[in-house]
Amino acid sequence: VVVCLITVLALVWSMPEIPKTVKTSEICFPSEIGSVKCGSTGDLLHGYFEREIAPKYDEVKRQDQEKQENHFKEVSARLMNIYDKSFWEMKPAAKLTGKEQPDLRKSDINADMVPIREWCNGRELYDTKGFMRYGIRYRNGRLVVSVDGTYFIYFNFEFFESCNPSFGLPDVKDINKPIKPGIFKFNIFEGEEEELVTNVQPHSILTNRYYNSYNSYVLSMGELKAGDELSVKVSNISY
């Protein structure tokens, strides 16, 4: 009991002196340099917890990162033993085929380019040459990238454009408006759509006075991040 009392007295004597006047909305806490500081209860509590919790959080984050890295190394080594070199050839890839499109939305009627909203996907791919492999997902007419990397992106399209047989000119509202297909990407964290590649070509006038036939191949190499959503747009989806 005597030892305990002596310890308590020693702690009390060693504590900094607390100011005699403290408002009811204030509190006193040891500051960074050791002295007692009084002030707004909310501010001091916030500062105190920030000083105490931040280092602990950083340590937990560091340990979690190390744990993830070790787990990846273990899984990679195990998969390498199972699949040998073929494991590293399992690269995300997809190929989709378009299908009949829904009616235009009001927001697309006067737009310069209109997105292709429907593609063969899921079991529909069984009847096509399309596929989706190693993490690539399909969502709302877009392909969602699974991992960061450099991707080869392409879009092949072909269509027929009717002509006025009397003049052999394309039967369109504005012959000066070019034909444009393009590939775009969107990421929810960036919030803005970005054009990756676009092809522009004029309406052609052929010896066939009834229709024009177009075939174009749009391609690009792109640095994509996990979560990027790829979509295709064309200048006139009615073709």
Side-chain angles (χ1 to χ4, degrees):
V1 175
V2 175
V3 173
C4 291
L5 288 175
I6 292 173
T7 303
V8 171
L9 288 173
L11 289 173
V12 172
W13 285 334
S14 63
M15 289 179 64
E17 184 178 355
I18 298 176
K20 307 209 181 318
T21 305
V22 179
K23 298 179 182 178
T24 55
S25 61
E26 294 182 340
I27 193 172
C28 297
F29 260 119
S31 65
E32 301 92 318
I33 58 176
S35 60
V36 173
K37 180 180 180 181
C38 298
S40 170
T41 301
D43 294 340
L44 286 182
L45 282 175
H46 180 271
Y48 177 76
F49 286 127
E50 194 174 53
R51 292 197 309 272
E52 294 296 321
I53 294 176
K56 300 292 184 183
Y57 175 80
D58 291 340
E59 177 63 19
V60 171
K61 187 177 180 181
R62 184 188 63 78
Q63 292 177 356
D64 185 61
Q65 186 174 356
E66 289 182 355
K67 185 177 179 181
Q68 290 182 5
E69 291 176 355
N70 292 333
H71 176 71
F72 177 75
K73 291 177 182 178
E74 292 175 1
V75 171
S76 298
R78 181 163 54 85
L79 290 175
M80 282 292 288
N81 290 332
I82 297 174
Y83 298 106
D84 197 19
K85 295 181 180 180
S86 62
F87 167 66
W88 298 112
E89 296 301 320
M90 295 181 178
K91 299 174 181 178
K95 179 181 178 181
L96 301 184
T97 301
K99 62 181 183 179
E100 184 176 354
Q101 298 297 299
D103 294 335
L104 286 178
R105 299 180 181 180
K106 290 183 179 180
S107 58
D108 292 336
I109 292 177
N110 296 318
D112 183 48
M113 300 183 75
V114 178
I116 296 179
R117 301 187 183 278
E118 295 290 340
W119 299 84
C120 293
N121 67 94
R123 293 189 176 183
E124 294 175 326
L125 294 177
Y126 297 162
D127 299 325
T128 71
K129 294 181 180 180
F131 57 85
M132 289 193 297
R133 299 171 183 162
Y134 310 130
I136 294 289
R137 293 180 292 121
Y138 175 85
R139 182 170 63 206
N140 298 327
R142 299 178 176 183
L143 285 176
V144 184
V145 176
S146 54
V147 296
D148 299 357
T150 302
Y151 287 78
F152 175 72
I153 310 161
Y154 70 93
F155 167 51
N156 176 255
F157 81 105
E158 55 184 274
F159 64 86
F160 295 94
E161 178 181 66
S162 61
C163 295
N164 186 329
S166 300
F167 306 100
L169 298 178
D171 188 14
V172 296
K173 292 182 180 179
D174 186 1
I175 194 173
N176 295 317
K177 185 177 180 181
I179 299 167
K180 293 193 300 183
I183 303 174
F184 294 77
K185 78 169 183 176
F186 174 80
N187 193 299
I188 191 172
F189 294 108
E190 298 172 358
E192 293 184 0
E193 193 170 52
E194 178 184 343
E195 177 184 304
L196 295 179
V197 60
T198 298
N199 180 30
V200 180
Q201 63 185 85
H203 295 270
S204 60
I205 300 177
L206 305 181
T207 54
N208 179 348
R209 302 171 67 89
Y210 295 94
Y211 67 86
N212 291 331
S213 176
Y214 294 89
N215 193 319
S216 184
Y217 195 73
V218 182
L219 59 94
S220 175
M221 299 291 289
E223 293 292 332
L224 302 179
K225 298 182 295 185
D228 282 347
E229 302 178 18
L230 300 180
S231 62
V232 170
K233 292 185 179 182
V234 292
S235 57
N236 192 334
I237 205 168
S238 66
Y239 296 142

